[in-house]
Amino acid sequence: MHPNLSFDQAPPIGVPLRFLLTAPWFGVAAGLLLAWSGEVAVLSRWTPQALALTHLLVAGFLLQAMTGALFQFVPVAAGGNVWRPRLAAAIIHPMYIAATALLVAGFLAANGSLLRLAAGLFLPTVLLHVALVGSALLRTPARGATIAALRVAVAGLAVTVVLGASLAEGIAGSHAWPLVQVTNVHAAWGLGGWALMLVLGVSYFVVPMFQLTPQYPAAFARWAPIVLVGVLLAWSTQLLDAGADWLPLVWLAGLGVAAVFAGVTLWLQARRRRRIADPTFHFFRGAMICLLAAFASAAAMVLVPALGDEPAAAWWLGALVIAGTFVSLINGMMYKIVPFLCWLHLQRQAGIGGTVPNMREIAPERAQRLQLRLHFASVTLLLLATFYAEVLVAAGAAFAASCAWLGWNLIDAVRRYQGFRNRAGAGAAGREP
Amino acid sequence: MSTTQALPEHHKNCDLLFARAEESAMAARWPECEEAFGRFRAEIGAHFETEEQVLFPAFEAATGSRLGPTQMMRLEHAQMNTLLGQIGQAVAARDADGFAGAAETLLILMQQHNMKEENILYPMCDQALAGQTLAIGDEIARRAAAPCPT
């Protein structure tokens, strides 16, 4: 029994916002880097530019956004705040920024010491982050598929960073570690064990919530994370035996789990009771279509190995999964989370019965709709760049512009929130005797 | 039958009425919207009352605490009532933008509130009130099933 469970709605607003407002600017940096480096970023996944670009998106954009969202989401899903959220965020947020910047600089400068330094910042920060969020998720009396998936996701983040740190050590120290295999396993845990797992857990919650769809089928919700962990463990055996010829099938199975998730989500959305289609709905649907396309492409690459051997194959898949799926999902989620948080905190301040601007008055939908179009145009350009290197500069510029617009829309919402808060505060002060 | 069994189903009924009201407002079918919103407001009001007058006091008596999750649930009910008032004004004024903004805000607040109740609070209530199932469970089921004035 937990009669004293706080059930609080939210940590202080600055806790999630500092992460959510930072994330898009890493996307801007990634777009600009792509426009500046051109073809080198696409030719192979191993060029310094490709590695820097990937980590600006995953360790910059994705990690910042997902960390901020979790600080907000865990209290709702688990019924209690993360321990001392303000202090935790004040440590984790700047540490992640610094670590990502060092990591990217280390790749671009091909400097092992910088990579080692980045790993030295990432490791303790992630362990702190995982311990805090993990303990909130373990202590909760709440049960269900969302909590289970979130628990696995934070463990997946820890595995990703431990493997990443060992890679940095392997490169900097010139150890004879199987770098290709460790990289494969590191990337799979990061994208599958952390990012996709988190998306599963959060989607079980928010897809029915935003569009009033039916719930995810219970068997799917329960088994998808378990199967995904099984796939990741099988994939991790390449650290011991790199030559197993069934590894491509394991890889395909991982994307298969993602594709089933995408298919189920689209099916649920088609049965939604709330017929209104807002920008977040379109971001979600676009993301799921990209995920299905990634699976279809991977299947083609397994069936026709020559396709998978093309140097640009990794670019095509990366653009579909990272920009097309994860960035789209986060972009859509941010348009719900940030205005809702602003409203929630204004409402609390105003007290019951007080009138505060609603979500659309805080974040007008028109700007979101236009940015949605630019985002998917930029994803299309990124995919075209697989075949036509001449569109790379345009793709990078469009992606940077779309992320900047997202960043601006979020800042604009927070400015409206602050403006109203200050006016209300001044009004309250003026009424005092 | 568990004490709270009737409540999650009633959440879904309220969702359906909400979706109908929102859809008709966006299509500017105001008489239809007025009808659906009226029913939604009555149903959700009955739901809040059932929880605040029957379930929460029983849970608080069983656990000896008024400062736990029920306090936050009461606060969220009050926040939802504020938004319901704003939506009511938008319906009366035939203001589609005002309706859309307040309705979107209400939807998220209402859904995360329902999730917290269904995933955490109701199981806690069922556990705390296991010995008293009949009286309270029946009262909740009766109220949730009662027809509402439109």
Side-chain angles (χ1 to χ4, degrees):
Chain A
M1 195 55 44
H2 301 262
N4 295 322
L5 204 65
S6 81
F7 241 36
D8 202 352
Q9 292 161 297
I13 191 167
V15 169
L17 279 188
R18 61 192 296 162
F19 294 98
L20 297 174
L21 294 186
T22 306
W25 304 101
F26 278 108
V28 174
L32 293 177
L33 175 63
L34 176 62
W36 173 69
S37 39
E39 209 176 353
V40 190
V42 184
L43 281 178
S44 148
R45 58 191 274 224
W46 302 106
T47 63
Q49 289 83 354
L51 290 164
L53 185 60
T54 306
H55 286 85
L56 277 171
L57 288 174
V58 294
F61 193 121
L62 266 57
L63 183 59
Q64 287 285 337
M66 289 174 160
T67 303
L70 260 188
F71 268 108
Q72 186 59 39
F73 188 72
V74 166
V76 178
N81 255 315
V82 173
W83 184 76
R84 306 210 46 188
R86 204 192 295 262
L87 176 65
I91 298 170
I92 294 170
H93 176 245
M95 288 286 273
Y96 275 166
I97 294 177
T100 305
L102 284 169
L103 186 65
V104 169
F107 284 130
L108 289 176
N111 182 324
S113 308
L114 285 176
L115 295 180
R116 205 182 235 166
L117 201 56
L121 291 186
F122 263 125
L123 259 185
T125 313
V126 161
L127 294 181
L128 173 71
H129 182 192
V130 167
L132 289 175
V133 176
S135 71
L137 289 170
L138 287 176
R139 280 183 284 118
T140 176
R143 294 286 172 269
T146 288
I147 296 285
L150 294 184
R151 285 175 182 160
V152 182
V154 290
L157 176 63
V159 174
T160 306
V161 172
V162 167
L163 287 167
S166 76
L167 277 168
E169 186 54 37
I171 295 167
S174 308
H175 296 292
W177 292 348
L179 290 181
V180 173
Q181 283 75 30
V182 179
T183 305
N184 287 342
V185 177
H186 160 75
W189 277 95
L191 292 174
W194 157 244
L196 181 63
M197 196 70 77
L198 188 72
V199 165
L200 283 176
V202 173
S203 296
Y204 295 165
F205 216 92
V206 302
V207 168
M209 167 170 166
F210 290 154
Q211 295 299 141
L212 300 178
T213 73
Q215 298 291 325
Y216 281 81
F220 170 81
R222 184 179 149 75
W223 282 99
I226 297 172
V227 173
L228 192 54
V229 168
V231 166
L232 287 165
L233 291 174
W235 181 247
S236 304
T237 60
Q238 64 184 292
L239 295 177
L240 306 171
D241 172 17
D245 51 9
W246 43 266
L247 279 172
L249 293 176
V250 173
W251 178 68
L252 193 58
L255 273 162
V257 175
V260 174
F261 161 69
V264 171
T265 303
L266 290 172
W267 177 75
L268 291 175
Q269 287 186 329
R271 275 153 192 74
R272 68 193 197 275
R273 282 173 292 169
R274 182 178 186 239
R275 303 310 301 177
I276 315 283
D278 56 26
T280 299
F281 171 76
H282 291 295
F283 275 114
F284 246 90
R285 199 163 55 171
M288 294 304 126
I289 291 168
C290 286
L291 206 47
L292 285 176
F295 172 72
S297 313
M301 288 173 195
V302 168
L303 287 173
V304 187
L307 274 178
D309 293 339
E310 285 287 324
W315 173 266
W316 170 262
L317 286 176
L320 277 174
V321 171
I322 297 175
T325 303
F326 289 122
V327 172
S328 305
L329 281 173
I330 288 170
N331 198 327
M333 285 292 292
M334 280 171 159
Y335 281 152
K336 292 285 188 195
I337 297 174
V338 171
F340 181 70
L341 284 185
C342 291
W343 174 84
L344 189 64
H345 287 266
L346 284 178
Q347 175 66 54
R348 280 185 160 193
Q349 194 195 9
I352 295 310
T355 303
V356 300
N358 64 48
M359 282 171 67
R360 296 228 180 142
E361 287 161 344
I362 293 166
E365 205 186 55
R366 189 182 140 74
Q368 299 176 4
R369 285 193 182 280
L370 295 173
Q371 191 261 325
L372 165 85
R373 289 183 196 162
L374 179 57
H375 168 73
F376 281 110
S378 79
V379 171
T380 308
L381 285 171
L382 289 170
L383 291 171
L384 281 176
T386 315
F387 313 102
Y388 309 102
E390 53 272 32
V391 302
L392 264 173
V393 174
F399 188 79
S402 171
C403 289
W405 199 350
L406 166 65
W408 170 251
N409 283 342
L410 300 182
I411 289 172
D412 193 41
V414 174
R415 283 176 55 203
R416 282 168 209 256
Y417 156 78
Q418 287 171 333
F420 188 85
R421 189 192 59 185
N422 294 341
R423 280 198 303 281
R431 282 196 300 276
E432 280 173 13
Chain B
M1 182 184 131
S2 75
T3 311
T4 59
Q5 195 173 332
L7 295 175
E9 195 53 40
H10 194 244
H11 282 159
K12 299 222 162 36
N13 295 344
C14 291
D15 289 350
L16 207 59
L17 289 169
F18 169 88
R20 265 184 32 205
E22 189 185 34
E23 195 174 341
S24 42
M26 294 308 100
R29 297 192 302 265
W30 291 107
E32 190 183 322
C33 174
E34 223 154 32
E35 193 266 339
F37 178 69
R39 284 191 58 199
F40 168 64
R41 199 169 181 176
E43 286 287 340
I44 201 169
H47 190 93
F48 293 166
E49 271 187 18
T50 303
E51 289 179 343
E52 293 184 15
Q53 294 173 4
V54 182
L55 180 64
F56 295 174
F59 175 75
E60 286 158 357
T63 59
S65 169
R66 276 185 60 85
L67 299 173
T70 47
Q71 190 189 28
M72 185 55 68
M73 295 296 101
R74 283 194 175 91
L75 171 69
E76 290 184 358
H77 287 170
Q79 290 175 333
M80 284 188 264
N81 273 327
T82 305
L83 286 166
L84 286 165
Q86 289 172 15
I87 298 175
Q89 286 169 7
V91 174
R94 306 293 192 247
D95 171 8
D97 286 344
F99 187 106
E104 185 182 6
T105 315
L106 175 67
L107 177 67
I108 297 187
L109 181 64
M110 178 169 77
Q111 294 300 313
Q112 57 102 32
H113 174 85
N114 293 353
M115 299 272 190
K116 282 194 284 199
E117 289 189 338
E118 290 174 23
N119 294 337
I120 309 170
L121 183 64
Y122 293 166
M124 286 165 71
C125 288
D126 288 340
Q127 208 183 336
L129 302 173
Q132 316 171 34
T133 301
L134 274 179
I136 297 166
D138 284 356
E139 174 70 1
I140 289 171
R142 189 184 62 73
R143 283 175 175 240
C148 283
T150 52

